[in-house]
Amino acid sequence: MSDLARMRQPSTLIGLFCVLGLCAIAIENLHFADSMLGTTYHRSQTIWIVVGLIGAGVTARLDMQFVRRVSPFVYAVLVVLLFAVLFFGREINYSKRWLELGPANIQPSEFMKMSIALMLADWFDKKRSQTPWKLRQLLIPALLIGMPVALINREPDLGTSVCVALIALGVLLYDGVQRRTLVMALCVALIGVGLAWKFDIIRDYQKGRAETWWHAMQDDDKTPDTGQGGANRDNWQAEKALWAVGSGRVAGRGDDEARVSVLRHVPFVHTDFALACFAERWGLIGCIFLFGLYLGLVWWALHIADRAQERFDALLAIGVAGLVFWQFFINAGMVIGLLPVVGLTLPLLSYGGSSALTVLIGAGFLLNIALRRKAR
Amino acid sequence: MAGVFVAVLVLIARLVIVQGLMGANYEKIATIERVGKVRSQAPRGQIKGSDGTVLARNLESHSLELLPAKVKTDRVAAIVGRLRELLDMTDSEVQQLRAELVRDADPRKRQPLVVRRDLVSTHCPYDSSQLELTSEVEYRFCPVCGRNFEPIPARKACPFDQRKLQSVPGGDGMRCSSCEREFSSADLCPYDHHALHHGHHNLKCPLCQRTFNDEVAVLRANLHLLPEARLQSEIQREYPFRYLASHLLGYVGYVTDADRAPLLPWLPPRYALTDRVGRTGLERAFDQALRGIDGEQVVVRRSGTDESAKGMDDLIAGLQPRPIVAGLTLRLTLDLELQRVAKVAMKDVFSGAAVVIDARSGEVLALYSKPSFDPNTMSGKRAPHGKTGSDTAAYAPLLDKAIHAFPPASTFKIVAAIAALEENIVNPATTFHCPGYYDFGGRRFHCHSKRGHGDVNLREAIRSSCDVYFYHLGELLGLDRLESWARKLGYGELTGIEIHEAQGRLPTREWYAQHVKGGYYPGFALSTAVGQKDVTATPLQVARVYSALGRDGILPNVTLVQGFEGPDGKLLPRLPRPEGRDLPVKASTLRFIRNALLAVVNDEGGTAYSSQPTNVVLAGKTGTAQAAQRPRPDMIERLKADPLALGRLTTWMQNDHAWFVGYAPAEDPEITVAVFVEHGGSGGHNAAPIAVKIVESWFARHPHAKAMDAPAGKGRRKAANSEELDETPIADPESVPTVPPEDDPANRPAGEPREAPGGAADEVLP
Ligand SMILES: [Zn+2]
Ligand SMILES: [Zn+2]
Ligand SMILES: [Zn+2]
Ligand SMILES: [Zn+2]
């Protein structure tokens, strides 16, 4: 029963609370979106989350040595699947990301996020060195990262490929540099770039506003989309999402009001812009709570990485932390108008089985490490 | 970890800005449902006569459309029933509509279905005069929801179908569940408690005294019951004078794909889908200037209340509406009164044209072609309703005969006369003997006088239009010299009029070699000298040439347009027109010709001696072109059902073309008139009187100082003419009674412009 005792550690409890809380919010939010649009996404998402939680439980009990042995095969299979997606993938919104496997649509790029973390952790653990990595030594990890990134980019799925690259970069740099400096530097750089981009957009947007709105009107008329909407369309989506977010004010607005507004303004309300729907309904307070949950999850992962006795475990936890953090940060930044629109979902909150499964399995790995920690 | 923390703090800070500080703003903006730019069509410029009378204008027309994509199958019966009630539709219309709605259409094809065009609203559909309200029937309607209310009957049963009325929840109104009529005795809408408006939708035309239902008002009031339908307003082109000046005004039509195709492949389409472009006449010639530049309007539709537009101003400002640039108004030189006179003067002819130009400036004062057509039907204002078996097409109503080329007949003789004088082939004293025929090249060319004119000099030959004299000239000059002189005089070239005109044809030996089987034969020169065979000229060209003869050899450039009107109604300065050119003809020759032309009308023995205006001295030349034809087989086929019309057509086509061209006052011409009557008989008897009426009317209104100062002993006044003069001004174009093709309600322009008839004759009449 020492497992149970370790479960009762505050950090583990916080982590689990965050994960389960996010799951619950996700289902509720999707249910709301479904009730507006008459869709049934929340049902399949519930199934995915249940499957994911079971998967997390299984992962938590897995032998890490087994995982490390299996992960190259998983990686190879995923690369093959990414190739397959390009040829046989299902096209939704001008992007081929999904493979139809039986009753479910699988998005291999999501699993690749986890797999790349595992692969890199494994590789860096095996080739440990005391000095920071030299460029020549990074050839193999660069290949490991580059292949899936390129493939995902081909789908095209810029958001996910950037995310995979960032996860890998996090792991890579964590091992080479002092992580404090690394994370700080990265954040500052990213925010800087984001802000610059944003201001650039503002100017661009002013210029292109008329066009944007024009396009938007065409959208309203449901004219066949030629797929060349481009930046204007994205700007427009972001603008509309911002209207919804802003309308939430501090305390959020009633569901009935939100129902009207969200339906009218928020595109992709189940996926990319799920946060906009949430933000309008729950306002600033709700958002701070939600962000707190993500922060808690990331903190848990980093905490585990900190305390991990094995290098592999630490690297893996960093990978999971990156997986959650980058996706969360980019998506939230995009919905609230800080970052440009790249098609990227919010972990757990957005509809997407593969994504939920990946995040929950990541949490499973964290739990695995947390439960093992004191035993050694 | 700290980095992650910072990042999340940044996100939250941003949220505070968006939700906390700017939230109220966003909430406001979020009421916008859609924003967009809507193209708004610039009003097409008007066309006005010289006195400012509007000849072409714009009228708003309304049509009711159904959106088939929105019509659900179980609603079809209800929709059709309601429309039938509202629009007074006939059974066949109802059946057609039902079939149209039930037919399963391609759902992506979102073409709206037009149920009714030209709904009556503000203008009389018959004469376009402004309708007046009559207060016979009163009704009440809600300005907010658009419902119409009947007073609540005493028995609380629907007076239309006797069903029991049900009360409206939350109000004191009643409602019939079967016919969906609304009832209320209070003056408040039971649905939204807005004050009801009182109105009446019975309209009366002050001109024709017809009464109409205000269909647009009725539909507007009931449209909430027909969510599948919508009222569309459209600006239509309206030609209030209908048949009067249709050829020169032309008409507009919807763009075709060919019109829209850009000039260069990468450019945007030249017109929007619903644009209309000028198809013929001035509408076509000045299309760009008339159409103006379309604007763009910013449309913001908001949900909820309109309480505040603040905070959205910056958003809307970014959209930059583009103002409409209205089309320019075109002012013509056309004298509407004279145009009417020309029309009335031609009332007894089937087909022909009358042209009046200012002899000095070349400005067109009247340009009438018969039969005419109603450009409103061509522009879609009124639906064309033709009847089969109509012989209208035989008279080519769409063809502007004033600028179409026909054999000029004896009016062309002045070319040979001038050429012969200028080339010193003859002098005014040269005589030839006319026995009534001339044998040349093994065949006999007849003079129109069977008995012959005896010994005639050039002046007498022109006066009595002796063909034999001109056969001699033709033989002496040869075809090519004739052609080059005709060209020098202004034949075979464009007159400068702004609308699309024919150039006429001046055959040469080379032309015959290329175009005629058997090639050139010397006899052709003889025929050409008398304006027959293959030479053609338009009535306008002939009028222009004669203007030059009358006015010291200055060939004016013809124009139909005074210029464009500015916004204040004043004429804008126009681009300088090219000066008229001098004819390369000696003054003595011109003097001689003028003298001869004066004799044609005023000397005994002149071919137009019987046609003298009472108030001015006219000089001119008649012409009669032999042009007997048989009806074309397709015409015979078409008129099988109407043997009377076919007989009329056949007889008509046996006749010769009649010409008269002249200027007045003879000593200092102000106007030049050319009258062409297709298959009209003889120039002296059938064309000249028309010209006389026109000239008399003009000088009745513009008394000329020397008008009554007629050369002594030459004139013989006809008392009858002055009586006819009084009849000429006619106020309403519709009230003019005319022979068949004209003004027949079934007058439906059809068919292509015809080839000029004639040219088949070897032998020549006057
Ligand atoms: Zn009302
Ligand atoms: Zn009733
Ligand atoms: Zn009327
Ligand atoms: Zn003779």
Side-chain angles (χ1 to χ4, degrees):
Chain A
M1 281 294 111
S2 62
D3 267 8
L4 203 63
R6 281 193 290 269
M7 281 283 267
R8 269 197 244 116
Q9 281 174 15
S11 65
T12 313
L13 285 178
I14 290 173
L16 288 178
F17 172 75
C18 291
V19 172
L20 294 175
L22 286 173
C23 288
I25 290 175
I27 291 167
E28 198 279 337
N29 202 42
L30 275 176
H31 177 75
F32 173 77
D34 281 341
S35 73
M36 274 180 341
L37 299 171
T39 46
T40 56
Y41 288 109
H42 74 279
R43 283 194 208 149
S44 42
Q45 186 72 355
T46 310
I47 294 169
W48 279 111
I49 284 177
V50 169
V51 170
L53 287 174
I54 294 168
V58 172
T59 314
R61 307 303 301 176
L62 278 180
D63 177 11
M64 269 306 175
Q65 291 310 315
F66 169 74
V67 171
R68 291 178 72 165
R69 253 181 286 124
V70 170
S71 73
F73 295 104
V74 174
Y75 177 85
V77 168
L78 285 175
V79 169
V80 170
L81 285 180
L82 282 176
F83 267 112
V85 159
L86 290 182
F87 294 106
F88 313 111
R90 206 174 135 208
E91 194 170 320
I92 301 175
N93 292 329
Y94 311 101
S95 177
K96 282 184 172 180
R97 301 178 187 178
W98 292 269
L99 268 186
E100 271 178 280
L101 291 180
N105 285 331
I106 299 291
Q107 201 177 346
S109 55
E110 291 293 340
F111 296 116
M112 186 47 101
K113 291 173 187 167
M114 197 62 240
S115 178
I116 199 98
L118 278 168
M119 283 301 284
L120 290 174
D122 185 47
W123 192 85
F124 282 117
D125 186 40
K126 279 180 188 154
K127 315 265 171 191
R128 72 183 61 199
S129 86
Q130 297 309 316
T131 54
W133 291 99
K134 283 176 189 143
L135 207 61
R136 183 161 43 84
Q137 295 169 294
L138 292 178
L139 197 68
I140 287 170
L143 253 176
L144 283 177
I145 301 164
M147 198 153 47
V149 167
L151 284 172
I152 296 167
N153 211 11
R154 281 286 295 180
E155 285 178 358
D157 185 353
L158 177 66
T160 306
S161 68
V162 166
C163 196
V164 168
L166 284 173
I167 292 166
L169 202 69
V171 174
L172 191 140
L173 293 177
Y174 176 84
D175 202 54
V177 258
Q178 205 189 353
R179 62 179 175 282
R180 231 182 148 78
T181 339
L182 155 74
V183 177
M184 273 297 270
L186 258 181
C187 284
V188 169
L190 200 82
I191 291 161
V193 169
L195 285 179
W197 223 78
K198 172 73 185 160
F199 286 127
D200 205 359
I201 281 179
I202 286 169
R203 254 179 279 120
D204 239 344
Y205 174 65
Q206 292 285 5
K207 274 179 262 149
R209 187 177 259 168
E211 254 68 31
T212 307
W213 288 41
W214 175 249
H215 278 293
M217 197 180 99
Q218 311 255 308
D219 282 356
D220 283 357
D221 283 349
K222 302 278 186 301
T223 43
D225 197 325
T226 46
Q228 46 189 322
N232 279 328
R233 271 175 61 90
D234 291 344
N235 275 349
W236 174 246
Q237 289 172 3
E239 178 74 19
K240 277 186 152 186
L242 208 56
W243 293 358
V245 172
S247 300
R249 314 282 295 268
V250 176
R253 61 188 344 189
D255 274 6
D256 281 332
E257 268 180 85
R259 209 174 288 266
V260 178
S261 160
V262 166
L263 184 64
R264 221 173 251 151
H265 296 304
V266 180
F268 304 114
V269 70
H270 290 105
T271 52
D272 295 12
F273 288 89
L275 178 61
C277 178
F278 179 87
E280 175 163 10
R281 295 173 59 214
W282 303 102
L284 183 58
I285 296 168
C287 282
I288 290 175
F289 178 72
L290 184 74
F291 288 10
L293 290 183
Y294 281 107
L295 190 62
L297 188 53
V298 174
W299 171 82
W300 184 39
L302 291 177
H303 177 81
I304 284 169
D306 241 5
R307 305 283 170 88
Q309 283 132 0
E310 287 206 24
R311 193 182 167 80
F312 173 81
D313 289 346
L315 288 170
L316 184 57
I318 284 290
V320 175
L323 188 152
V324 174
F325 174 72
W326 290 121
Q327 229 176 313
F328 158 70
F329 183 77
I330 293 175
N331 181 277
M334 154 182 126
V335 171
I336 64 179
L338 264 183
L339 294 174
V341 173
V342 291
L344 194 66
T345 58
L346 195 58
L348 287 176
L349 217 67
S350 296
Y351 172 72
S354 309
S355 171
L357 207 56
T358 308
V359 173
L360 288 173
I361 285 173
F365 280 123
L366 292 181
L367 199 61
N368 188 321
I369 300 164
L371 294 185
R372 231 166 346 101
R373 200 165 49 201
K374 286 287 162 61
R376 303 249 161 139
Chain B
M1 187 61 225
V4 173
F5 216 85
V6 168
V8 172
L9 277 183
V10 168
L11 290 180
I12 289 173
R14 170 69 183 171
L15 268 181
V16 169
I17 296 172
V18 171
Q19 297 191 299
L21 303 178
M22 285 159 65
N25 228 350
Y26 279 115
E27 208 171 15
K28 220 174 282 166
I29 292 171
T31 61
I32 295 176
E33 270 182 49
R34 51 187 273 182
V35 174
K37 283 184 170 184
V38 173
R39 226 174 59 97
S40 40
Q41 214 168 39
R44 196 174 174 87
Q46 295 184 328
I47 302 179
K48 290 180 176 177
S50 60
D51 58 348
T53 314
V54 176
L55 301 175
R57 62 181 175 187
N58 305 307
L59 264 193
E60 192 173 21
S61 111
H62 307 267
S63 53
L64 184 74
E65 292 177 356
L66 279 179
L67 305 167
K70 278 195 182 175
V71 175
K72 298 197 179 74
T73 14
D74 55 329
R75 284 271 295 152
V76 170
I79 293 169
V80 172
R82 187 156 291 281
L83 285 177
R84 173 180 212 154
E85 201 175 284
L86 294 173
L87 283 179
D88 202 17
M89 294 170 84
T90 65
D91 285 349
S92 66
E93 279 177 315
V94 167
Q95 259 163 27
Q96 201 185 339
L97 178 64
R98 194 173 285 139
E100 204 61 57
L101 286 178
V102 171
R103 195 181 62 186
D104 55 11
D106 181 358
R108 277 178 307 171
K109 197 179 153 197
R110 309 192 327 165
Q111 199 78 12
L113 178 66
V114 179
V115 181
R116 182 69 68 86
R117 277 189 206 287
D118 287 326
L119 296 165
V120 178
S121 178
T122 52
H123 287 81
C124 175
Y126 295 94
D127 48 34
S128 310
S129 42
Q130 184 97 34
L131 292 174
E132 289 167 356
L133 283 171
T134 57
S135 50
E136 286 164 30
V137 183
E138 198 187 50
Y139 75 107
R140 292 174 302 154
F141 69 96
C142 171
V144 177
C145 64
R147 288 184 177 89
N148 255 346
F149 292 92
E150 309 273 350
I152 296 180
R155 280 177 53 235
K156 307 237 164 144
C158 176
F160 299 93
D161 48 25
Q162 313 310 324
R163 296 285 170 87
K164 197 164 182 308
L165 294 179
Q166 282 152 1
S167 61
V168 172
D172 49 3
M174 309 283 284
R175 172 164 208 284
C176 172
S177 57
S178 113
C179 68
E180 301 191 337
R181 280 191 174 82
E182 307 283 346
F183 298 85
S184 169
S185 291
D187 268 353
L188 287 180
C189 174
Y191 292 90
D192 46 35
H193 304 288
H194 274 86
L196 294 181
H197 283 201
H198 291 249
H200 21 231
H201 43 242
N202 266 37
L203 301 169
K204 192 167 189 180
C205 175
L207 193 68
C208 65
Q209 299 293 314
R210 290 182 176 96
T211 54
F212 302 94
N213 204 13
D214 189 342
E215 291 175 321
V216 173
V218 170
L219 284 170
R220 242 177 226 147
N222 286 281
L223 222 52
H224 64 285
L225 300 172
L226 282 168
E228 300 88 350
R230 64 176 183 199
L231 275 170
Q232 288 289 92
S233 324
E234 192 187 32
I235 303 297
Q236 289 270 19
R237 198 67 162 159
E238 231 276 317
Y239 305 92
F241 290 92
R242 303 183 71 185
Y243 295 93
L244 187 58
S246 37
H247 291 101
L248 61 100
L249 291 177
Y251 53 87
V252 295
Y254 281 105
V255 287
T256 60
D257 285 345
D259 295 321
R260 299 185 66 229
L263 296 172
L264 295 167
W266 57 86
L267 294 175
R270 283 184 294 161
Y271 300 103
L273 265 175
T274 53
D275 272 0
R276 270 173 293 191
V277 288
R279 283 271 171 256
T280 60
L282 290 164
E283 293 275 26
R284 173 170 156 191
F286 289 94
D287 188 55
Q288 283 305 321
L290 286 169
R291 78 171 27 253
I293 302 168
D294 289 347
E296 272 179 341
Q297 271 181 328
V298 174
V299 174
V300 178
R301 197 164 74 198
R302 250 167 297 166
S303 64
T305 51
D306 276 6
E307 43 158 306
S308 149
K310 267 186 256 157
M312 292 180 9
D313 293 350
D314 60 323
L315 286 173
I316 293 161
L319 287 170
Q320 298 280 335
R322 194 172 69 200
I324 290 176
V325 180
L328 292 167
T329 292
L330 195 61
R331 181 91 70 83
L332 304 185
T333 60
L334 196 74
D335 184 297
L336 216 56
E337 188 56 40
L338 200 64
Q339 179 84 359
R340 278 202 198 98
V341 168
K343 179 181 168 175
V344 174
M346 293 187 75
K347 67 178 190 293
D348 292 329
V349 306
F350 283 95
S351 169
V355 180
V356 185
I357 64 174
D358 185 313
R360 292 155 295 195
S361 62
E363 290 180 349
V364 175
L365 302 171
L367 191 105
Y368 181 70
S369 174
K370 189 165 181 177
S372 188
F373 62 93
D374 183 355
N376 295 305
T377 62
M378 313 298 291
S379 296
K381 176 80 183 78
R382 294 186 183 86
H385 35 81
K387 67 177 181 218
T388 48
S390 156
D391 60 345
T392 321
Y395 304 102
L398 286 185
L399 184 67
D400 190 348
K401 299 186 180 78
I403 48 175
H404 188 82
F406 297 96
S410 305
T411 62
F412 197 69
K413 280 177 181 161
I414 49 116
V415 175
I418 291 171
L421 288 170
E422 290 288 304
E423 307 250 349
N424 292 319
I425 288 169
V426 293
N427 60 50
T430 311
T431 58
F432 289 104
H433 180 72
C434 168
Y437 56 87
Y438 182 63
D439 289 321
F440 178 83
R443 61 183 308 164
R444 176 159 288 193
F445 290 80
H446 291 277
C447 184
H448 70 91
S449 164
K450 291 261 157 52
R451 285 178 290 122
H453 293 93
D455 287 334
V456 284
N457 62 21
L458 183 54
R459 186 169 182 276
E460 288 159 350
I462 293 175
R463 187 191 65 197
S464 52
S465 203
C466 175
D467 292 317
V468 171
Y469 194 98
F470 287 94
Y471 294 146
H472 279 284
L473 294 187
E475 186 188 352
L476 293 169
L477 284 162
L479 184 63
D480 289 353
R481 264 202 287 185
L482 268 176
E483 186 263 352
S484 87
W485 271 102
R487 225 168 262 293
K488 283 178 198 166
L489 293 177
Y491 285 98
E493 66 178 32
L494 296 176
T495 63
I497 195 168
E498 288 83 356
I499 55 182
H500 188 72
E501 59 172 334
Q503 205 162 349
R505 184 201 302 141
L506 297 174
T508 58
R509 297 169 68 145
E510 198 188 322
W511 184 89
Y512 277 113
Q514 279 173 8
H515 292 87
V516 175
K517 222 174 125 189
Y520 174 71
Y521 149 75
F524 290 167
L526 276 61
S527 299
T528 305
V530 295
Q532 286 282 175
K533 196 71 187 145
D534 293 298
V535 58
T536 61
T538 69
L540 184 65
Q541 267 178 340
V542 175
R544 176 169 173 250
V545 172
Y546 274 75
S547 296
L549 299 182
R551 292 213 57 92
D552 298 322
I554 298 164
L555 195 65
N557 261 301
V558 177
T559 182
L560 199 46
V561 175
Q562 280 186 30
F564 292 107
E565 276 184 13
D568 54 351
K570 289 214 180 73
L571 275 180
L572 300 172
R574 70 175 288 185
L575 291 173
R577 282 200 303 132
E579 298 268 314
R581 71 174 160 90
D582 278 330
L583 297 185
V585 180
K586 288 199 287 276
S588 59
T589 308
L590 281 175
R591 219 166 23 245
F592 173 81
I593 295 289
R594 272 203 294 274
N595 199 269
L597 293 178
L598 185 67
V600 170
V601 182
N602 298 289
D603 278 12
E604 204 150 355
T607 48
Y609 184 58
S610 57
S611 305
Q612 291 163 7
T614 52
N615 51 2
V616 75
V617 179
L618 178 70
K621 181 80 193 77
T622 59
T624 306
Q626 190 184 334
Q629 283 171 304
R630 319 194 124 273
R632 290 198 314 268
D634 61 309
M635 269 297 133
I636 296 174
E637 184 64 28
R638 199 189 174 101
L639 293 176
K640 251 199 287 194
D642 190 354
L644 211 69
L646 183 59
R648 194 165 61 208
L649 180 68
T650 314
T651 327
W652 174 71
M653 291 191 91
Q654 293 304 311
N655 291 330
D656 300 327
H657 295 330
W659 281 87
F660 179 84
V661 55
Y663 48 80
E667 61 276 24
D668 181 25
E670 287 175 14
I671 61 168
T672 308
V673 184
V675 174
F676 167 75
V677 185
E678 193 179 11
H679 298 299
S682 97
H685 291 106
N686 302 79
I690 294 171
V692 167
K693 281 181 197 165
I694 294 169
V695 168
E696 280 177 345
S697 151
W698 175 264
F699 286 100
R701 288 191 295 132
H702 302 84
H704 188 258
K706 294 181 194 165
M708 300 312 292
D709 192 16
K714 281 184 180 172
R716 177 181 64 89
R717 304 269 171 256
K718 282 204 304 179
N721 276 348
S722 58
E723 284 167 25
E724 284 172 17
L725 181 70
D726 297 331
E727 305 172 355
T728 41
I730 300 291
D732 177 30
E734 284 254 299
S735 67
V736 181
T738 22
V739 277
E742 185 85 355
D743 286 10
D744 181 349
N747 187 358
R748 175 150 150 267
E752 293 293 304
R754 269 180 311 165
E755 281 303 306
D762 264 355
E763 292 168 299
V764 168
L765 290 165

